[in-house]
Amino acid sequence: MSVPRIGVLAMQGAVAEHLARLASLEDITVCRVRTRRELEGVDGLILPGGESTAMAKLLCDFGMMAPLAARIRGGMPVWGTCAGMILLAKEIVGEPAHLGVMDIRVRRNAYGTQMDSFRTHAAVPQVAAEPLELVFIRAPWIERAGADVQVLARVQGHAVAARQGHMLATSFHPELTHDTPWHAYFARMVRDAATDGGRA
Ligand code: GLN
């Protein structure tokens, strides 16, 4: 098997931070994704945090929304962090969905102004043996998860990380902490899919 290539959608948001975390992993290559051609060349994609409405507008302006949704529906592993999770959701409270591929309902800016940004720790046994530091910035939470969705982490009773097959979503920003368990976990998802012939 060739070395899998993981892309970071580079329309807007925390792109450099994800690339930096990925760079410390072995046996993958990484790149930015801005065009359809770049999208075709990756085995997995990270949708970073930022502003979901701005990213959705840019995806539409660059003609990337439909091709991206098609690749995800075709089995390409994808991981949405914060705004990226909002892009993936089938339902967004009070607004229309964007990619609409993952069976979750999310509430934007769910923690309200008094908790706009905070750090906490949570146990995530599927991802790491030790509790992980989680960084929330104007974060969404998951209000409903479909039957095929496995909730990986909860904070204050709310689901903040979930997986549905080849799709991973986190409310928080693992690219802003120094360790890389989430990036390693996603890289394993990409390797597994590439082994199964996941490249389109
Ligand atoms: N509040 C942003 C949104 O709704 C997400 C914030 C983030 O990605 N850190 O898109």
Side-chain angles (χ1 to χ4, degrees), residues 48-53 55 81-84 86 108-109 136-140 171 173:
E51 190 58 39
S52 54
T53 47
M55 256 187 274
T81 58
C82 203
I86 296 165
R108 294 179 67 198
N109 303 320
F136 292 78
I137 303 171
R138 290 173 50 79
S171 297
H173 288 262

Side-chain angles (χ1 to χ4, degrees), residues 20 50 53 65-66 68-69 71 75 91 95 103 108 145-146 159 167 190 197-198 200:
T53 47
M65 190 68 93
L68 177 52
R71 276 226 62 193
E91 274 185 85
E95 8 183 326
D103 193 12
R108 294 179 67 198
M167 296 180 276
V190 175

Side-chain angles (χ1 to χ4, degrees), residues 19-189:
L19 290 168
R21 293 286 95 73
L22 290 170
S24 65
L25 299 181
E26 289 174 3
D27 296 329
I28 57 163
T29 58
V30 302
C31 65
R32 291 170 196 260
V33 169
R34 286 203 185 89
T35 65
R36 289 191 207 189
R37 175 178 286 231
E38 287 165 344
L39 176 63
E40 281 161 20
V42 296
D43 300 293
L45 186 67
I46 295 176
L47 312 179
E51 190 58 39
S52 54
T53 47
M55 256 187 274
K57 182 175 185 316
L58 290 165
L59 280 170
C60 289
D61 289 353
F62 286 96
M64 290 281 282
M65 190 68 93
L68 177 52
R71 276 226 62 193
I72 298 170
R73 289 204 179 90
M76 178 186 71
V78 67
W79 173 21
T81 58
C82 203
M85 173 168 108
I86 296 165
L87 292 177
L88 290 176
K90 272 198 178 147
E91 274 185 85
I92 306 170
V93 174
E95 8 183 326
H98 301 297
L99 291 163
V101 288
M102 188 168 176
D103 193 12
I104 53 175
R105 176 166 67 227
V106 301
R107 180 177 292 276
R108 294 179 67 198
N109 303 320
Y111 291 91
T113 49
Q114 79 282 15
M115 292 278 277
D116 259 355
S117 300
F118 64 100
R119 285 170 191 265
T120 189
H121 286 79
V124 193
Q126 291 90 341
V127 174
E130 300 295 317
L132 296 172
E133 185 183 27
L134 310 181
V135 177
F136 292 78
I137 303 171
R138 290 173 50 79
W141 66 43
I142 298 169
E143 294 209 343
R144 184 192 63 79
D148 294 341
V149 178
Q150 182 187 19
V151 172
L152 300 178
R154 289 181 189 276
V155 166
Q156 300 163 6
H158 296 285
V160 294
R163 179 168 173 182
Q164 182 181 5
H166 63 291
M167 296 180 276
L168 176 66
T170 57
S171 297
F172 44 87
H173 288 262
E175 78 283 9
L176 298 183
T177 51
H178 292 293
D179 43 9
T180 55
W182 289 96
H183 291 80
Y185 180 78
F186 182 62
R188 280 197 298 278
M189 285 173 58

